[in-house]
């Protein structure tokens, strides 16, 4: 039967570095919020087109939509990269500990 201390020791290896937590949280928030803004911009665009708004206003809305879509993809890419970096850092720390222990044996 395993002791309760083992999961805590394993958790210490797998805990992501503090320097990655802030940027990862921001990227995850942006990845969540930005796709929700897109449909609102499309709604405003359609309402403006039906109401006969100027072409420049509609182009501004279209540009905002494109910027939002690109920003959402960028946030998704950044979040994936930061999460994989945190995972690799944890597994590398665990590998180093196992190798060190093996060499000491």
């Amino acid at each position: 039967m395993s002791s309760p201390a083992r999961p805590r020791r394993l958790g210490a290896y797998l805990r992501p570095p503090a320097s990655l937590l802030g940027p990862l949280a921001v990227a995850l928030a942006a990845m969540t919020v930005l796709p929700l803004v897109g449909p609102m911009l499309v709604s405003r665009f359609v309402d403006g087109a039906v109401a006969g708004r100027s072409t420049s206003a509609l182009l501004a809305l279209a540009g905002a939509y494109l910027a939002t879509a690109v920003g959402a993809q960028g946030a998704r890419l950044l979040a994936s990269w930061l999460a994989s970096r945190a995972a690799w850092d944890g597994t590398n720390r665990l590998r180093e500990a196992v190798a060190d222990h093996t060499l000491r044996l």
Side-chain angles (χ1 to χ4, degrees):
M1 195 164 192
S2 67
S3 68
R6 282 191 180 169
R8 275 188 251 136
R9 281 190 275 174
L10 182 61
Y13 290 112
L14 300 179
R15 184 176 301 119
S19 62
L20 291 179
L21 288 179
L24 182 58
V26 169
L28 288 173
M31 187 177 84
T32 303
V33 171
L34 287 176
L36 299 174
V37 174
M40 290 188 282
L41 290 171
V42 170
S43 172
R44 285 187 179 187
F45 181 87
V46 170
D47 291 344
V50 169
R53 290 182 71 184
S54 68
T55 304
S56 61
L58 294 175
L59 285 175
L61 284 170
Y65 175 79
L66 288 175
T68 301
V70 169
Q73 290 297 327
R76 186 172 292 126
L77 177 68
L78 180 63
S80 295
W81 180 75
L82 290 171
S84 65
R85 183 172 167 200
W88 275 108
D89 285 350
T91 50
N92 284 340
R93 282 193 302 272
L94 189 57
R95 283 182 188 138
E96 288 173 3
V98 169
D100 184 46
H101 176 73
T102 304
L103 290 173
R104 278 188 279 127
L105 292 176

